[in-house]
Amino acid sequence: MSSAGKLRRLAAITLAAGAATTVVASGAANAWNGDRTGDVRHAIQGGKARNVILLIGDGMGDSEITIARNYSKGANGRLNMDRLPLTGAYTTYALQKDHPNLPDYVTDSAASGSGWATGHKTYNGAISVTPDGRPQRTILELAKSAGFRTGDVTTAELSDATPAVLAAHVTDRSCQGPADMKACPTNAKENGGAGSIVEQQVQTGADVYLGGGKARWTQTVKAGRFQGRTVIDQAKAAGYDVVTDASGLQAARPGRDGRLLGLFADGNMPQEWTGPGAKVGGTEPSRCAPNAQFSGPHLTQMASKALSVLDDQTRRSRKGFFLQIEGASIDKRDHAADPCGQIGETVEFDKAVKLAMDYARRHPDTLVVTTADHGHTSQIIPLDAKSPGQTATLVTDEGAPMKINYATNPAGESQEHTGTQVRIAAQGPQAANVVGVTNQTDLFGTITRALGVRR
Ligand SMILES: [Zn+2]
């Protein structure tokens, strides 16, 4: 069958199967068409927040959001994150390590995360240290010392950059476990440092850590009280219940005085969806499918558990909680030029945004912020564009073809981050501070002001 014939047939199947739920791409049903002045005015709240839920879509630039929206909701549909009432953009640039007075226009997750977690810009690869290596206190550490409960959730390894910047300080993001310290000699335990990222995560002591990366935690501690034992042993001694699968997660009841550590994969957690990889010259029009190899809890199950544990722990307290939830593999599948992988992660992340918004509906003193740490490769291009890069054509749920292009590196190499500004959207106390164009370091100020904590 010709490519166009295949496309028509796929579109017909899609429309027949999805007729009841398909969003029709007309302008009629858009709730935002009217005068929104009242809604926006109503959404502006100052004061303190009891709870803060920060959701980071790693590599989730405007293009990644639009691709996921087109595919799953339709061009005129809306994702949950689109319904947050106050929206702005923020700049993400890092600093050059050897010339910290000059910008590095394309950040990685470590530098950008250090920026929003500590309020200080730094170089690519840094985990909450300044360009000269000085640790800076993070939102999570400040919240914890002020009496808030804290949680850190990701689909990547827990020691990966975004979850790491909240609870560790090392000079290079590769220093994830005690056996990985080659790039951070001054941070190593055996040299008198605070240890690897996972050792520091235990020492920082967030109430809830959920994610992948178990292989870092089974490494052996090289010095100090836990020398010769694993980081998991160290975590158990610090009061963590350790769970490793979805049923363990569901059954976990850490209680008011307990802590919860979930390690659901040796490395990154599996991706939600699969489909054709982009390639030079393009693909046949295709649909995405659920990943048959998926195992372990979904991001929404981890987010829901983290919310319920932290809610239980704070029910009778004056202070609430700070929780970070990362959809990490939007970035990882974008690096791999895997459009279905990337869309599936974005759709799952967006469901976690819905959980946070539902929680905030029942607890209006909750600040919910959704943003990204940097933009990424994928672009929606015309069907007849002759990209020199890798492309894939997907047939969306509303039955139209969408061509996605990856061209920041040659085929076979990892696709790259981009230096664009990214979206930030919020609701609740202090949410008005995301409006306009800000910097990722300003998010530190917004959250610390909402929690009433100071550096
Ligand atoms: Zn990346």
Side-chain angles (χ1 to χ4, degrees):
M1 196 184 296
S2 73
S3 175
K6 206 167 217 166
L7 178 55
R8 274 194 299 277
R9 196 175 63 101
L10 255 170
I13 293 167
T14 308
L15 284 174
T21 51
T22 298
V23 178
V24 177
S26 74
N30 191 338
W32 296 114
N33 273 345
D35 179 357
R36 294 185 52 210
T37 309
D39 291 341
V40 171
R41 191 175 287 135
H42 183 73
I44 295 174
Q45 281 182 64
K48 299 263 165 67
R50 178 176 166 79
N51 312 299
V52 174
I53 307 172
L54 171 64
L55 299 111
I56 303 284
D58 200 308
M60 191 182 71
D62 283 346
S63 186
E64 285 70 28
I65 294 172
T66 310
I67 289 168
R69 184 197 300 121
N70 285 351
Y71 188 90
S72 67
K73 304 286 183 186
N76 192 46
R78 290 292 177 266
L79 296 162
N80 296 304
M81 68 179 91
D82 297 331
R83 298 182 195 284
L84 287 161
L86 299 168
T87 297
Y90 76 30
T91 57
T92 64
Y93 67 93
L95 302 179
Q96 296 184 21
K97 188 170 186 180
D98 299 327
H99 302 281
N101 55 330
L102 287 177
D104 185 336
Y105 292 115
V106 184
T107 190
D108 74 346
S109 300
S112 193
S114 298
W116 56 252
T118 72
H120 292 277
K121 292 237 179 217
T122 190
Y123 59 91
N124 283 343
I127 300 292
S128 292
V129 296
T130 53
D132 56 0
R134 280 177 297 123
Q136 299 297 315
R137 296 194 83 194
T138 72
I139 298 168
L140 187 147
E141 291 168 330
L142 292 165
K144 188 177 157 66
S145 23
F148 291 88
R149 296 299 184 122
T150 55
D152 199 3
V153 174
T154 182
T155 53
E157 299 186 67
L158 268 169
S159 48
D160 202 1
T162 303
V165 294
L166 286 165
H169 307 270
V170 292
T171 55
D172 191 279
R173 61 183 291 171
S174 66
C175 302
Q176 299 188 45
D180 308 321
M181 297 303 288
K182 203 157 54 179
C184 317
T186 57
N187 302 125
K189 268 262 153 78
E190 59 273 30
N191 297 331
S196 64
I197 289 170
V198 294
E199 292 166 275
Q200 291 192 41
Q201 285 175 320
V202 176
Q203 289 149 206
T204 297
D207 298 282
V208 179
Y209 288 115
L210 302 174
K214 189 167 59 198
R216 313 284 184 179
W217 296 74
T218 54
Q219 292 179 13
T220 305
V221 176
K222 293 192 176 170
R225 197 177 137 209
F226 292 93
Q227 184 173 359
R229 297 166 70 191
T230 68
V231 186
I232 290 187
D233 291 334
Q234 184 185 342
K236 286 180 175 163
Y240 284 94
D241 287 352
V242 181
V243 296
T244 55
D245 57 24
S247 58
L249 177 67
Q250 203 183 1
R253 297 278 179 279
R256 205 184 137 74
D257 301 318
R259 293 166 164 179
L260 180 59
L261 169 62
L263 296 167
F264 305 109
D266 281 339
N268 297 317
M269 292 176 67
Q271 67 192 79
E272 295 280 341
W273 293 6
T274 58
K279 57 185 191 194
V280 176
T283 65
E284 293 292 324
S286 308
R287 296 275 298 157
C288 302
N291 175 12
Q293 264 83 55
F294 189 90
S295 64
H298 298 276
L299 178 61
T300 43
Q301 291 171 294
M302 295 195 288
S304 164
K305 186 68 178 196
L307 280 169
S308 84
V309 168
L310 294 170
D311 184 68
D312 280 352
Q313 291 184 332
T314 54
R315 197 159 287 168
R316 285 181 297 279
S317 318
R318 211 161 50 78
K319 297 278 175 72
F321 60 80
F322 168 78
L323 170 63
Q324 189 277 137
I325 299 168
E326 183 198 22
S329 293
I330 303 167
D331 167 80
K332 296 183 192 310
R333 302 324 301 163
D334 218 327
H335 279 297
D338 172 9
C340 287
Q342 164 193 326
I343 294 168
E345 297 308 300
T346 312
V347 167
E348 180 68 14
F349 174 78
D350 189 55
K351 291 180 187 163
V353 174
K354 169 95 170 24
L355 288 178
M357 292 169 76
D358 289 347
Y359 185 86
R361 189 171 309 119
R362 298 190 303 276
H363 304 85
D365 45 2
T366 301
L367 170 64
V368 177
V369 181
T370 299
T371 189
D373 47 1
H374 53 76
H376 219 304
T377 307
S378 58
Q379 290 288 338
I380 306 163
I381 62 170
L383 296 174
D384 57 1
K386 296 179 196 69
S387 169
Q390 303 169 90
T391 66
T393 300
L394 299 180
V395 180
T396 65
D397 281 5
E398 61 187 348
M402 170 169 64
K403 187 168 179 174
I404 304 170
N405 181 45
Y406 298 82
T408 49
N409 252 337
E413 290 181 28
S414 177
Q415 298 300 304
E416 269 301 353
H417 302 172
T418 60
T420 181
Q421 64 187 29
V422 297
R423 186 205 288 195
I424 177 167
Q427 68 173 52
Q430 300 296 333
N433 291 297
V434 308
V435 171
V437 178
T438 58
N439 206 319
Q440 100 268 68
T441 44
D442 295 323
L443 177 55
F444 173 84
T446 300
I447 293 178
T448 50
R449 200 179 307 114
L451 293 174
V453 299
R454 289 225 188 131
R455 243 205 300 263

